Amino acid sequence: MNTKDMSANFDLTKQARFFTLSLDLLCVAGFDGYFKHLNPAWAQTTGFTLEELKAKPFIEFVHPDDHQATVAETAKLVTGRGETIYFENRYICKNGSIKWLLWNATSFPAEELIYAIARDVTRYKQTEQALQYRVEFEKLITALSTDFINLTPDEIDNGINQALQTIAQLAGVDRSYIFILAEDGHSMDNTHEWCAEGIEPQIQKLQGLALADFPWFAQKIKNLEIIHVPRVADLPDEARLAQAKLQALGIQSIINIPMLHRGSLVGFFGFDTLKTEKAWGTEEINLLKVVAEMLVNALERKQVEQREALAYEFGRQLTTLLDPDILLSEIVHRLQKVFGYYHAHVYLFNKTFPQSAHPFGEDEALLVMREGTGQAGLEMKRQGHAIPLQATQSLVARAARALEPVIVNNVSQDPHHLPNVLLPDTRSEAAIPLFLGQRLIGVLDVQHSLVDHFDPEEIRTLQIVANQLSIALSNARLFEENAQRLAIIENASNLIALISLEERLVIYINQAGAQLTGHNAPEEMIGQPLAHFYPPEALKRVEKEGLFVAAEQGIWRGESCLRRLNGDDPVPVDQTIFLICDEHDQPQTWATIMTDITERKRAEEALQKINEELEARVAARTAELSQTNADLVHEIAERKQIEAALIRQTQELARSNAELEQFAYVSSHDLQEPLRMVTSYVQLLARRYRGQLDNDADEFIAYAVDGASRMQQLINDLLAYSRVGTRGKDFAPTDCQATLEYTLRNLQPVIQECGATITRDALPTVMADSLQLAQLFQNLIGNALKFRSQEPPRIHISAEKNHHGAADEWLFSVADNGIGLEPEYAERIFIIFQRLHNREEYSGTGIGLAVCKKIVERHHGRIWVESQAGAGATFYFTLPAMKGQ
C-alpha cells in the first residue's frame, strides 16, 4: 500500500468515527422518503432502533402538525439544484414525547439522496415556550383586569366564566371553578364553572357542601393556604378522605387559591386536570393570586351594585304607598326577607318631624317604635315601646344624637348595648338615621344573628334605603297636605294629558279628558295612540302642525276636534300643545290642554245663519218698502242674543285661561318640596363624599348638584311667571323716574363690575303696579348688561308721548350697544324659556323677557325689539297715558 492509499483509508476512518460518535443526528435519506443511513445518535434521541427508523417513511415519525411544512421543505430538496436549506420540525419519540429538531440539509439529485444534519433543540424550545407562556399569562391577566373594570353588574357572571375558560385553556387544564362560602362559614356553593370538551360539569352536584365533610381541605382553606397538589395520588395520609373523593371524580391534580375580601375568606377558585398531571410554577401561582383578588372585587362590586339597585327599587315602589302605616310595614318586612335580617324596625319621633335636627333638652323627646317584624315587633308595638332621645344604652338613641349610622358588629362586646329579651339572638346591629331635608325624623334599626355581619357596602345600602324611606314618608305626608291642590288638576273641566315623546301614546289624562271622549275612566285611555282619539284630518293637523310647531317654538295653540267613543260627532276643542323638557333642556314629553268649544261653535254657526237670513230679509225689505220695522227690531233682538252668547263664550275662555294659570302655579309650587329634598341630598353627597370616591363620582355629583340647582331656578322662574297675572298689586300713579332710581340701586354692583354708563331722559308718571314696573326695568337693563359687547356697556332710557288708536300712550325705550340679535329672532325671545345662546355662554333660564312681555300686557301695553346682530338693541314698550297728561 502506497502513501496515497494509506491517506485515503485514514480519511475514511475519521469520517466513520465522526458519523458514529457525533452528538448531532446525521442521516442520508432517499428521494423515496425513507432513511438510508442513520448514526447512533438517532436511537439515543428518539428511542427507536435504527432499523425501526429505516423501516417506515420518515414522515410517519414527524408530528402531524408539521407534516405539511416538512413535505414542502423536502420537495424543495428533491426539485432543487443542491442548495442547502434550514428548517425546524417535531419528531415523536417511541415513548410519546416530542423532540424539536433543527435541520441543515442538502440534496444530490444525481444520486437521488438527501444529506442532512439535525440538532436536538428541545430544551431551548421548552425554555422559549415557557417564557412565551409566562408573557401570555401576564398579558391575559392584565387584559382581564382591564375588562372587569368596564363590566356592568349584569355582565360580571359572564365575564367571570369567560375568564375561567381563558385561563384554563391557556394553562392546559380540564376544569376551572369558583366556590363561595356561606355566611355562617360552615358550607360552600360552586357558583361558577368551566369544563373542557368531554369533561362532565359538576356545578349542579356541588351545592350546599358541608365543610365538615372535607376536614383536611377545610383546614387548609381556613388557614388561607394555597392548596397545590400536582399529583393527587401523593396526598398525605391525613388527606385520604379528600384523596378518595378526588380520585372518584378522576382528578389527577388540583390547585385552589383562597379569595379574600377585607382580609376575610369568602371562597376560593381553582383548576383540576383529569387527563394529565400538572405542577404550577411559582410565577403562575403569584399571577393566580392576582386573579383571585380581581374575581373577589368583581363579585363584591356585583353584590354591592345589585344590592343598591334593589334598594333604589325599594324606594321606587315605596313612593307609591301613601299610607304611612302600610309604608312602614312594607319596608321592614322587605328588609328582613331580602337581606336576611334577624329583625328590622323603624322608630319615629313622638312629635311630627321636629323643626330642629337636634331637639335636645326636650324631656318629652322620645323615639317611638312604629313598626317591626315578627312577634317581637307586634309585642313592642303593643307595649308602646319607646326610647328617650338621651338614653345612653341604646344604639337607636346614639344614632339619633350622632346624626350618623351607629354599627356594632358584636353586641356582646359593646358596654352600651342594652339587650332586648324579645330579641335574644341579636349578634350585630346597625342603626341608620332618617332625615327629611336637614331634619332628623327617626331611625331605621336592623339586627342580624351573626357577628361581624355589617360591612361598609351594606351600611351604604341601608343608607340608601333610609333615604328612600324618608322621601316616601315625606311624600305620604305631602300627599295628605296637597290632596286638595292636586285635585285642581284632576278635577279641572279642561282635558289635561301627557303624551310620550317618540311613540305618541297617552301616558296620563285626567277625568275630564275621559268624559270628553266618552270613556268611563282615564285608565281606559292610558297607552292608546293619538290616532285613537282624532279623526284623520284632525290627526294630520295635530301631527304635522301642532307637534311640529311645539317642537320648534315650545308651544302651539289652535282648534282641533276629538273622536268620541260612541261614534257621535267629533267634539270641537281649543287645544294647546307644549313641550316639557328636563333640566338639561332635553325634550321629555308632550303636554296638552283642551277646552270643549261645542257651544261656541254652535253660536258661531247660528250667528252666521242668522246673518245670512238677515241679509236676505234686509234685501227683501229693501225691495218691499212696506215691510214693517217690527220685524227688523225682532231680528236685531236675535242678533243681540247671539252676541250675548258670544260674550258668555268669551267669559268661559277667560275662566279656562285662569285655570291654566292655576295649573302652572300648582305644578311649579308642588315641585318645590321634592326638588328641595333632592337638592339637599345631592349637596349632602357632595359635602360628605367629595374626594373620597374617584374623579368620575365627584364629577357626577357636581353635575347632579348643578342640574338640581338649575331645575330649582326653572321652577322658581315658572312660579314667578305664573304670578305676574295673579299676584300683582292694584294699579296706582307711579313715578317712573323714582322706580328707575330704585332699579339702578339694585343693579349697582353689576353696573360697576362691567363699567357701564347709563343715561336717561325725564320719565313720566303712569298708572301701574310699581313692583312689576321695577321688575320690567330691571329685566331690560339687566339683559343689556348681560349681553354686552367688548366695549363698556352704554345704556339709554327714554320716554315720549305717543298716540295709538283712540288713546294716548307713553312709548318707552331701552337702548344699548351690546351684541344685538338677528331680526328673525325678535319675537322668539319673548317666549318663555326660549334662549338664543347656550348656558355656557350666558347664564339664565330664558324667562326674563317672557316676564317683561306678560307685565306689559297686564298693563295693556305692547313690547318689541329692534336690533341687528353686533349693532346693539333697542327694546320698546308702551304704557297707557294717565288722563290729563
Side-chain angles (χ1 to χ4, degrees):
M1 181 179 297
N2 58 34
T3 304
K4 183 176 181 180
D5 291 336
M6 291 179 61
S7 176
N9 289 335
F10 178 75
D11 289 341
L12 290 174
T13 301
K14 288 195 296 181
Q15 291 176 10
R17 186 181 305 149
F18 171 76
F19 189 82
T20 302
L21 299 178
S22 174
L23 297 178
D24 290 330
L25 284 68
L26 309 179
C27 69
V28 178
F31 283 8
D32 60 358
Y34 284 83
F35 287 121
K36 304 301 181 182
H37 299 287
L38 296 164
N39 71 336
W42 278 91
Q44 298 170 6
T45 300
T46 65
F48 292 106
T49 66
L50 300 184
E51 289 70 20
E52 289 174 330
L53 291 168
K54 295 177 183 178
K56 297 179 182 180
F58 58 73
I59 195 68
E60 294 190 16
F61 298 99
V62 176
H63 192 285
D65 291 347
D66 294 341
H67 275 192
Q68 185 175 355
T70 302
V71 170
E73 296 296 335
T74 303
K76 293 179 184 178
L77 293 167
V78 171
T79 60
R81 299 179 180 179
E83 295 92 347
T84 300
I85 64 172
Y86 302 89
F87 67 95
E88 291 181 348
N89 65 8
R90 287 166 288 179
Y91 267 62
I92 302 175
C93 300
K94 192 170 186 176
N95 63 2
S97 62
I98 304 297
K99 295 292 186 180
W100 279 91
L101 301 181
L102 175 62
W103 290 92
N104 179 339
T106 302
S107 65
F108 290 86
E111 301 175 9
E112 295 188 351
L113 293 176
I114 298 171
Y115 291 81
I117 301 174
R119 175 161 295 177
D120 182 0
V121 292
T122 303
R123 181 174 299 178
Y124 168 78
K125 279 291 184 180
Q126 289 174 343
T127 302
E128 183 181 50
Q129 288 175 341
L131 177 60
Q132 182 64 28
Y133 169 72
R134 186 171 74 247
V135 170
E136 290 181 3
F137 207 165
E138 290 175 350
K139 288 182 178 178
L140 172 62
I141 301 307
T142 302
L144 289 175
S145 178
T146 302
D147 292 343
F148 267 88
I149 292 175
N150 299 319
L151 292 178
T152 66
D154 293 337
E155 297 170 334
I156 285 177
D157 281 329
N158 186 57
I160 290 175
N161 289 332
Q162 184 64 45
L164 291 177
Q165 176 182 350
T166 305
I167 297 172
Q169 289 176 333
L170 179 61
V173 298
D174 302 313
R175 182 187 292 122
S176 54
Y177 45 79
I178 291 178
F179 279 80
I180 298 298
L181 299 181
E183 191 169 12
D184 59 9
H186 299 313
S187 62
M188 59 183 177
D189 295 320
N190 187 181
T191 58
H192 301 77
E193 181 188 54
W194 173 83
C195 295
E197 185 176 356
I199 303 300
E200 181 184 0
Q202 299 292 319
I203 189 170
Q204 298 298 331
K205 303 175 184 178
L206 302 177
Q207 302 298 316
L209 299 180
L211 288 176
D213 295 339
F214 305 88
W216 178 82
F217 172 88
Q219 189 59 47
K220 292 279 187 181
I221 285 293
K222 288 184 178 180
N223 290 341
L224 308 182
E225 297 181 33
I226 294 175
I227 300 175
H228 180 206
V229 184
R231 191 167 183 268
V232 168
D234 292 340
L235 280 169
D237 291 343
E238 61 267 23
R240 278 181 296 179
L241 180 61
Q243 183 184 57
K245 292 185 177 183
L246 293 172
Q247 289 177 333
L249 294 172
I251 297 173
Q252 297 195 42
S253 68
I254 64 170
I255 186 170
N256 293 149
I257 311 295
M259 297 167 60
L260 307 178
H261 180 63
R262 299 183 184 277
S264 299
L265 181 70
V266 298
F268 62 89
F269 88 106
F271 302 90
D272 297 342
T273 63
L274 286 78
K275 300 174 183 177
T276 61
E277 298 170 353
K278 178 176 176 60
W280 295 75
T282 302
E283 292 184 357
E284 291 178 289
I285 293 175
N286 289 335
L287 289 173
L288 291 180
K289 291 179 183 179
V290 175
V291 176
E293 183 178 353
M294 178 182 69
L295 295 176
V296 168
N297 290 338
L299 288 171
E300 286 297 320
R301 181 161 62 88
K302 172 191 171 185
Q303 182 179 11
V304 168
E305 295 192 20
Q306 286 183 336
R307 197 161 52 192
E308 291 184 359
L310 185 60
Y312 281 115
E313 177 63 16
F314 277 1
R316 187 190 66 79
Q317 296 173 0
L318 289 174
T319 55
T320 65
L321 301 176
L322 300 176
D323 185 318
D325 292 331
I326 296 176
L327 173 65
L328 293 173
S329 176
E330 186 75 11
I331 188 64
V332 296
H333 286 92
R334 285 197 187 188
L335 282 173
Q336 185 181 49
K337 178 180 179 180
V338 175
F339 294 109
Y341 294 132
Y342 169 52
H343 187 74
H345 44 213
V346 174
Y347 290 83
L348 296 180
F349 274 106
N350 59 334
K351 291 186 174 183
T352 303
F353 300 164
Q355 294 300 314
S356 171
H358 294 275
F360 303 152
E362 300 181 13
D363 295 337
E364 70 276 13
L366 299 173
L367 290 158
V368 180
M369 204 284 282
R370 287 287 302 274
E371 191 61 57
T373 54
Q375 286 299 122
L378 292 174
E379 182 61 23
M380 292 167 74
K381 283 183 66 176
R382 189 189 68 80
Q383 295 176 2
H385 178 64
I387 301 173
L389 185 62
Q390 301 298 341
T392 56
Q393 286 191 294
S394 167
L395 264 67
V396 172
R398 286 158 57 189
R401 292 196 303 272
L403 301 178
E404 60 184 22
V406 175
I407 300 95
V408 175
N409 268 318
N410 190 341
V411 296
S412 64
Q413 297 179 1
D414 185 354
H416 298 295
H417 180 262
L418 182 63
N420 189 331
V421 295
L422 296 174
L423 301 169
D425 296 328
T426 297
R427 297 295 180 268
S428 55
E429 183 175 357
I432 314 296
L434 302 175
F435 293 95
L436 181 57
Q438 299 297 320
R439 294 174 294 169
L440 182 70
I441 62 173
V443 176
L444 170 65
D445 185 78
V446 292
Q447 301 175 19
H448 206 279
S449 57
L450 296 176
V451 298
D452 296 324
H453 172 76
F454 297 103
D455 57 26
E457 287 82 4
E458 184 152 351
I459 295 303
R460 185 170 63 186
T461 301
L462 285 172
Q463 286 180 295
I464 293 172
V465 173
N467 290 340
Q468 299 293 333
L469 174 59
S470 299
I471 294 171
L473 285 169
S474 173
N475 287 344
R477 183 170 68 96
L478 288 173
F479 178 81
E480 294 178 349
E481 294 178 354
N482 296 325
Q484 184 175 3
R485 282 182 288 177
L486 293 173
I488 295 175
I489 298 173
E490 187 62 33
N491 298 322
S493 60
N494 305 84
L495 179 154
I496 300 175
L498 297 177
I499 312 298
S500 63
L501 197 64
E502 298 296 336
E503 300 85 357
R504 297 179 181 178
L505 304 177
V506 175
I507 57 179
Y508 167 80
I509 192 167
N510 64 348
Q511 185 63 39
Q515 293 175 352
L516 190 61
T517 55
H519 290 79
N520 295 322
E523 290 74 19
E524 297 177 5
M525 304 176 68
I526 303 302
Q528 295 291 340
L530 288 183
H532 183 75
F533 304 104
Y534 290 98
E537 287 302 317
L539 176 65
K540 182 178 180 181
R541 186 186 183 206
V542 167
E543 290 185 330
K544 300 296 184 182
E545 180 183 337
L547 296 181
F548 177 78
V549 173
E552 290 291 320
Q553 302 181 10
I555 190 168
W556 171 84
R557 184 172 181 178
E559 290 188 3
S560 183
C561 58
L562 290 177
R563 175 186 291 161
R564 290 186 61 82
L565 186 63
N566 56 12
D568 289 347
D569 291 339
V571 180
V573 294
D574 181 54
Q575 182 172 6
T576 300
I577 300 174
F578 53 95
L579 195 60
I580 297 179
C581 300
D582 62 13
E583 66 272 16
H584 302 295
D585 293 332
Q586 295 300 311
Q588 296 296 299
T589 59
W590 303 104
T592 184
I593 300 175
M594 304 185 203
T595 302
D596 184 354
I597 57 173
T598 302
E599 293 301 323
R600 191 182 81 186
K601 286 292 184 182
R602 288 175 181 171
E604 290 174 352
E605 291 172 0
L607 179 60
Q608 182 179 358
K609 182 178 180 181
I610 289 174
N611 282 336
E612 291 172 355
E613 292 177 356
L614 183 58
E615 289 174 359
R617 291 177 183 179
V618 169
R621 287 188 181 95
T622 302
E624 301 173 4
L625 296 176
S626 60
Q627 182 81 26
T628 64
N629 289 334
D631 291 335
L632 183 58
V633 171
H634 177 70
E635 297 300 334
I636 293 173
E638 287 184 345
R639 181 188 289 268
K640 288 184 176 180
Q641 289 178 353
I642 299 303
E643 290 175 350
L646 287 176
I647 291 173
R648 288 195 298 273
Q649 291 301 316
T650 302
Q651 292 172 343
E652 177 64 19
L653 285 177
R655 183 188 64 79
S656 298
N657 288 336
E659 288 185 351
L660 179 60
E661 288 186 351
Q662 180 67 7
F663 167 69
Y665 169 76
V666 170
S667 299
S668 300
H669 185 274
D670 289 344
L671 286 172
Q672 293 284 345
E673 182 63 22
L675 182 62
R676 191 177 298 115
M677 192 175 306
V678 170
T679 303
S680 298
Y681 281 119
V682 173
Q683 290 173 344
L684 181 60
L685 279 174
R687 292 195 303 270
R688 181 167 295 181
Y689 296 106
R690 182 177 291 111
Q692 298 183 23
L693 306 175
D694 57 19
N695 292 335
D696 284 347
D698 289 344
E699 184 178 1
F700 296 161
I701 291 173
Y703 286 157
V705 171
D706 178 64
S709 299
R710 288 191 284 107
M711 187 62 181
Q712 183 74 51
Q713 185 60 47
L714 283 172
I715 292 173
N716 289 336
D717 287 347
L718 180 59
L719 195 58
Y721 181 80
S722 67
R723 286 175 172 173
V724 170
T726 59
R727 300 295 182 89
K729 295 166 53 181
D730 293 337
F731 292 176
T734 302
D735 183 353
C736 294
Q737 193 81 11
T739 303
L740 179 61
E741 291 288 346
Y742 170 78
T743 300
L744 294 179
R745 286 196 297 271
N746 289 341
L747 294 173
Q748 192 59 33
V750 181
I751 294 171
Q752 290 180 349
E753 179 184 347
C754 59
T757 301
I758 300 179
T759 58
R760 58 186 179 275
D761 296 338
L763 300 180
T765 297
V766 296
M767 291 294 293
D769 179 336
S770 59
L771 291 180
Q772 289 189 350
L773 185 58
Q775 186 177 6
L776 174 61
F777 278 128
Q778 182 160 322
N779 285 3
L780 292 176
I781 296 171
N783 198 67
L785 294 173
K786 178 190 294 187
F787 297 100
R788 59 183 180 269
S789 63
Q790 297 296 325
E791 299 179 2
R794 297 192 307 275
I795 304 169
H796 183 72
I797 302 100
S798 64
E800 63 180 26
K801 195 73 168 291
N802 190 30
H803 190 74
H804 180 73
D808 291 333
E809 64 182 13
W810 285 101
L811 175 62
F812 291 81
S813 66
V814 179
D816 63 59
N817 64 335
I819 63 173
L821 68 152
E822 296 291 351
E824 60 262 35
Y825 300 122
E827 293 183 4
R828 177 180 170 186
I829 61 174
F830 293 103
I831 299 174
I832 187 171
F833 294 141
Q834 293 297 302
R835 298 169 53 90
L836 302 184
H837 307 276
N838 60 42
R839 187 171 290 104
E840 286 72 23
E841 292 178 305
Y842 297 98
S843 62
T845 61
I847 199 172
L849 292 177
V851 171
C852 290
K853 185 174 185 293
K854 196 163 187 180
I855 290 173
V856 170
E857 289 177 348
R858 180 176 178 244
H859 286 74
H860 310 293
R862 295 163 291 119
I863 186 169
W864 68 95
V865 65
E866 295 179 1
S867 177
Q868 291 290 337
T874 302
F875 284 84
Y876 296 94
F877 65 91
T878 65
L879 295 177
M882 296 173 60
K883 292 181 180 180
Q885 284 186 331

